Amino acid sequence: MTKFNPLLVFLLASLLCNAQRKPSQYVNPFIGTSNFGTTNPGPIAVRGMANVSPFNVAGPQNLPFEKDSRWWSTPYSSDNNFLTGFSHVNLSGVGCPELGVILAMPTTGEVITDHEKYGSTYSDEIAKAGYYSNKLDKYNIIVEATATTRTGISRYTFPEGKANILLNLGLGLTNEQGAQIKVVSSTEIEGIRSVGSFCYYKPEEAYPVYFVAQFSEPADEFGVWKKPTTYKGEEAQWMGYNGKTRLMKGYTKEVVGDSIGAYMRYDFKNPTQVEMKVGISYVSIENARENLEKETSGKTFTEIVVSTATEWDEHLSRIEVEGGSDDDKTIFYTALYHTLIHPSTLNDFNGEYPKMRTRETLKTTGTRYTVFSLWDTYRNLHQLMSLVYPEQQSNMVKSMLQIYDESGWLPKWELNATETTTMVGDPAGIVIADTYLKGIQDFDVEKAYEAMIKSADQLEGNPLRPGINDYITKGYLTTKTTNSGSVSTTQEYNISDFAIAQLAKALSKKEDFKRFSKRSISYRNLFDKEFNLLRPKNDDGSWLTPYNPETGANFVKNLGFIEGNAWQYTFMVSHDVKGLIKLMGGSKPFAYKLQEVFDKKQFDMANEPDIAYPYLFNYVKGEEWRTQKTVSELLSTYFKNAPDGLPGNDDTGTMSAWAVFSMMGIYPVSPADPIYAATVPVFDRITIQLNPKYYSNKSIQITKDGDGEVLSNMMLDGKKINTPFISHQKLTNAGRLHFITNKK
């Protein structure tokens, strides 16, 4: 038999392409797989439920980046080289361990069920949008993987001889345990894996993920295994099998436990390929099987690879870029790719999905999205979706309203129909208001407004705004209200109230507009002129003393701020920059203090609170060049065509969205205020294709003259713009936004 070359898959795809590279061919899924970016290179469809990731974070061979030796939140690190399988449900760019389960591993020789013994080093890695391949050195097996929305597909090229495919339900990234597995036939295995407790919250809401695995070749032998708990005490002396793995050949009933799995075993006379398809569902085994069949039936592995790449191209090509280097395009399209992973699909092919918390089966006619890391994504990712993928953003808002219907509250950090309550603030309303104000209004805005008002005003039993009594009576949270983040949580509530005020204004609710506009600037009570920074207050209104405004950097817990310090939060009031300028004594002191954040190395590109800081210089006439200089430096320093090419956790696409906007020369600097701040674009020409259902224009062009570092002029359809800001409405109704640059 001719030796199989996995690159042949892409030769076929290339024949279908024009001479010009398609956007998906610029995507480098290895970006973000080091430096704690926590992305993975495994294939996934656009907003897919299934993701086949190489799993190389288990076992002492992978120290120091080993999942049980530290806080670790990704199934893959490019720093490691010992692989123990391929997980089929994963999260991308998060900071807490979860999912990373349903691990498949091809091996040769005898059936070994201990992952530290059957694991292997690997080589010849290839990763593209919708495709991954490597060679398992220990077994000389070529592994290839692709995915549809709800199914992971693998193709194993085995050498002749004894071969095995293991499905290990005991190993995973999640800290939850418990599973069930059953061999249905010589070509099918089904099962359930318990997951949950994201960020170590709400273990009582652990939930099941269901799967069905089908194999293209019938096994010569199959079986299951179970490693029971090791008993101690009097009974242990009688148990010769105590703690020992039980291998049950030919067993066809359900096996339940923590450390369990199943295997398919072959004896190949020649090198042979076996395809394995794993359908996923959060509703039932039957739905997992239907997802698999509806999405993959009658399709070859190569056809699915090409189909998934085509789907990625359809989405990535909504933005076309010209000019810049190949690395620039790779960084850009990989960032755009990362923004199209989460939020991801929760509902099955038939529309069914689990209800919040109780997990009763409900049904949707659209797409029910999940993985709403809203403390991160309210700042820029949803603004990108509204501009480029408004049909998706509309469904995301509708999903949030479904969550409200089911749970009584808008989401904060929702994951697979559980509210994890991770992080702080009341962010969903910010996203909803921003979406509506950008003209995406095909959702029940009155219900949305009702939900926003509920979380803003309910004094008792309010999971979205802990400490709301002090917030309303004093205008801020105190060091007594909470033991961490009194100032920053006040700021988050302010931004949410600003969003309510803007939506109230659009809906002609004048009294609410006045009330929430006033509430939105209460952070001013925490501004201390001694430091020209924000400072926590005690319950009696006195300042927290002693006080070091630098305390809190590098995630050090402190009374005033969540994941940051006073330098990294004081300017996080982009809805009230003019007010902050006045508090600081005018434009010059404001610009000086803002520059100090960077000069004193207090700016943290790897976290969200100060993510808009570089664009705030635009609010001071004559200082706009600092925005352009700073953004350019940050892009070149932190965003690279390399595994460490993200500044840190991608935070479900938030860091990537910052890069996408910044490279295009526009940034949504103030959530729920539909404006963009300008900077120098990386590319000479950017064409954004608009969805005609939501926008009257077919496309927008952003162009640049010159290779200068600073902007000398901005033109909108030939007319000069005298401010470094442009409204969403003007941008989307224009044909061309043109930048003219000069050397500084």
Side-chain angles (χ1 to χ4, degrees), residues 315-335:
H315 284 78
L316 297 173
S317 64
R318 294 271 189 103
I319 307 178
E320 299 171 4
V321 298
E322 300 173 38
S325 66
D326 278 356
D327 271 359
D328 291 333
K329 289 172 180 153
T330 292
I331 293 163
F332 179 83
Y333 280 117
T334 304

Side-chain angles (χ1 to χ4, degrees), residues 8-17 22 24 129-131 146-147 300-314:
L8 291 175
V9 172
F10 285 97
L11 291 176
L12 173 61
S14 297
L15 291 174
L16 302 176
C17 297
K22 291 194 172 185
S24 69
Y131 177 84
T146 186
T300 67
F301 180 88
T302 301
E303 287 171 341
I304 294 171
V305 169
V306 173
S307 175
T308 301
T310 299
E311 181 191 25
W312 276 112
D313 276 319
E314 289 170 353

